[in-house]
Amino acid sequence: MDQERDLQWKYPQALNTLLTRSTKLVGAGLYWLNVLAGDEKALRFSQWARLMIKASGKEETLTSQKLEWLWKSVTSDPDLDRFFGDRIVSLEEEWKQMETVECLPAGSRFGIFFKDLKSYGHPVLPLRLDLIPDAEAEIFEPLHMRPGKARRLECCDVPTRLHISVKNPGNVDAEAAALKVDRTDVEIKGESIIVNVKSLNHAYTKASLRLQPSRRSPGGRVYDHVAMRMERGFKALETVRAKHEKNLWLQLISTQ
């Protein structure tokens, strides 16, 4: 009782309410982890989250952020090793075990920008309609993304054709040497160098290598420099990725 009175004296009422609710949530998290342990050999975040959502009903709004925090709080207790050992599957591991996602159709076209898209106001502002990319690319198969590190999606390889516009391009052999690709992957049409590459990241790297030869390390984070060409303007590849990450996360904790 003395400790409870001290807490009420030390913290504002709102914070005291938050502490009480958080303590209750951690208790519920441990309870449902224990229930799950009686039915499952491997203890997974997705199964536990569904139990938590169903049990909370309308009493508590369990957002994905709160569920993730609660899972980490509950499973990071070192004393749990005595009860569950290595049965707890990390959220990172479970995420990476999910299926790849088809994000964009074959034939999608992209602009490659050497300046970071943040310099154009992304993501606060939509990308301007009058932007002129430094190079362009087109994919021949649907673009898939696979679950990767830090609960992010990563682009899979996809056959891509890169278009680089230059004045007075060299012959096929000269351009293949500059791009460090096989000559059979290069075609010259007027002032356009067309290169067959393995992925959007590969396209960005090769465009940088050809048009920014003084850079020590060509390329960078493709999500900061590549945008899908729309009917009007561009949509950043990062925006496409974030949308599908959200959908995949909702699928992970879906109670349906």
Side-chain angles (χ1 to χ4, degrees):
M1 291 296 293
D2 291 340
Q3 186 178 9
E4 184 177 344
R5 281 198 300 270
D6 289 343
L7 282 174
Q8 291 175 348
W9 173 82
K10 188 175 182 181
Y11 299 106
Q13 184 59 39
L15 182 55
N16 191 39
T17 301
L18 177 61
L19 289 170
T20 301
R21 187 166 70 241
S22 297
T23 301
K24 182 180 177 181
L25 276 174
V26 171
L30 285 166
Y31 172 79
W32 288 111
L33 185 65
N34 188 50
V35 170
L36 187 64
D39 299 325
E40 303 289 341
K41 183 176 181 180
L43 306 180
R44 299 178 180 275
F45 169 82
S46 55
Q47 297 167 308
W48 170 87
R50 291 169 192 148
L51 290 174
M52 288 291 296
I53 292 171
K54 286 182 179 180
S56 64
K58 296 181 180 179
E59 295 181 9
E60 180 77 33
T61 302
L62 292 175
T63 63
S64 60
Q65 186 178 21
K66 185 174 290 185
L67 282 167
E68 185 174 352
W69 163 79
L70 188 56
W71 173 257
K72 290 179 179 178
S73 299
V74 169
T75 58
S76 61
D77 188 331
D79 289 336
L80 283 181
D81 286 341
R82 292 186 297 164
F83 301 102
F84 303 131
D86 59 358
R87 293 172 61 189
I88 297 176
V89 179
S90 71
L91 180 53
E92 183 87 357
E93 181 181 348
E94 185 173 5
W95 172 260
K96 288 182 178 180
Q97 291 172 355
M98 298 193 74
E99 298 292 331
T100 60
V101 182
E102 182 176 326
C103 298
L104 293 172
S108 296
R109 298 178 63 192
F110 303 85
I112 296 173
F113 300 86
F114 294 149
K115 290 178 63 176
D116 194 310
L117 293 178
K118 293 178 183 177
S119 64
Y120 300 111
H122 174 78
V124 178
L125 301 174
L127 295 175
R128 300 197 319 265
L129 300 179
D130 61 347
L131 288 181
I132 299 177
D134 297 289
E136 298 192 64
E138 179 183 3
I139 57 175
F140 293 136
E141 295 177 6
L143 175 66
H144 289 79
M145 293 189 185
R146 61 176 174 269
K149 296 179 180 178
R151 203 158 54 77
R152 301 302 313 265
L153 288 175
E154 300 173 352
C155 287
C156 298
D157 287 353
V158 59
T160 303
R161 180 165 289 174
L162 168 66
H163 294 259
I164 304 172
S165 295
V166 296
K167 290 183 178 180
N168 303 317
N171 59 33
V172 168
D173 289 324
E175 293 297 345
L179 288 159
K180 298 181 180 179
V181 297
D182 193 286
R183 70 180 312 277
T184 59
D185 290 322
V186 178
E187 182 181 356
I188 309 295
K189 285 188 176 181
E191 295 189 334
S192 181
I193 306 169
I194 303 170
V195 192
N196 293 322
V197 292
K198 300 176 181 178
S199 66
L200 286 175
N201 188 71
H202 197 200
Y204 171 45
T205 300
K206 292 304 179 184
S208 176
L209 180 65
R210 177 60 178 83
L211 298 175
Q212 298 180 308
S214 60
R215 287 190 60 181
R216 289 186 178 181
S217 178
R221 264 177 45 95
V222 68
Y223 308 102
D224 296 332
H225 298 274
V226 174
M228 177 181 163
R229 184 178 284 281
M230 309 293 288
E231 186 175 344
R232 288 175 56 82
F234 293 91
K235 178 188 288 187
L237 185 60
E238 175 61 31
T239 300
V240 176
R241 176 167 75 151
K243 173 188 173 183
H244 286 279
E245 284 173 345
K246 180 179 179 181
N247 292 340
L248 196 60
W249 174 261
L250 292 176
Q251 178 184 326
L252 184 69
I253 63 175
S254 172
T255 57
Q256 300 301 317

